[in-house]
Amino acid sequence: MSLILAFLAQVTPVQPMPKGTGLPPPGTDEGAVMAPINAMLAGLAARDSAAILAQLRPDGGATVANEAPNGVRTVRHMNWTEFAASVKPGPEKYEERISNPAIEIDGDIAMVWTPYTFFIDGKAHHCGVDHFDLVRDTGSWKIVNITWSARATGCEG
């Protein structure tokens, strides 16, 4: 009985998922995971839907959890075609800045959780957190899903 009580009394501490401390060097596994994300963000900045689609697995999708300035919350899911169609050529300059990504890798799956701020013509437009799910398929990392929160308040520029 005392052996069972001793066993039950043992607590194995569970460490919280560490927050990222910056972008990883490109030659690391973490750098390889970030490569399609960085390329997708470059495609967004160039407003090039083909460059964005090149980083994605066709069977995935995108989900946004939006909080409007009046507090109304909505969730919208898009397939990749709908997502890419939302990126249209135009005169405004787009830039999405990510910071401190937390990157987790297990074999051929990975996830990245990172705060972001989205800028239009250099001005903070909205912000939130991006969550990317990726898989390594035939040696190449591809984004399977993107989920992000979006709000227009409390954004740092």
Side-chain angles (χ1 to χ4, degrees):
M1 181 74 162
S2 63
L3 183 59
I4 292 173
L5 290 176
F7 176 77
L8 292 176
Q10 291 180 347
V11 176
T12 303
V14 176
Q15 298 297 320
M17 184 186 320
K19 293 288 185 186
T21 57
L23 294 176
T28 64
D29 285 343
E30 289 84 1
V33 166
M34 288 302 299
I37 295 170
N38 292 333
M40 188 202 80
L41 294 176
L44 181 64
R47 299 177 80 151
D48 181 348
S49 59
I52 293 169
L53 288 170
Q55 305 309 314
L56 311 173
R57 269 187 65 103
D59 53 349
T63 303
V64 57
N66 189 52
E67 182 180 344
N70 64 2
V72 173
R73 295 172 184 252
T74 58
V75 175
R76 179 174 176 230
H77 180 76
M78 300 161 269
N79 63 38
W80 288 136
T81 303
E82 294 168 314
F83 177 73
S86 70
V87 179
K88 298 178 174 126
E92 302 89 4
K93 180 183 177 208
Y94 287 176
E95 179 186 9
E96 183 167 332
R97 292 183 202 158
I98 61 175
S99 60
N100 299 322
I103 303 166
E104 296 291 328
I105 304 168
D106 184 45
D108 289 330
I109 67 169
M111 80 100 200
V112 176
W113 176 280
T114 182
Y116 77 90
T117 303
F118 188 85
F119 295 85
I120 298 178
D121 290 332
K123 182 179 176 188
H125 182 265
H126 65 274
C127 60
V129 170
D130 286 334
H131 173 210
F132 297 90
D133 292 315
L134 300 96
V135 295
R136 183 171 30 210
D137 189 13
T138 62
S140 176
W141 287 102
K142 293 289 186 178
I143 300 167
V144 177
N145 293 297
I146 305 169
T147 304
W148 72 97
S149 59
R151 62 186 166 280
T153 58
C155 301
E156 296 180 21

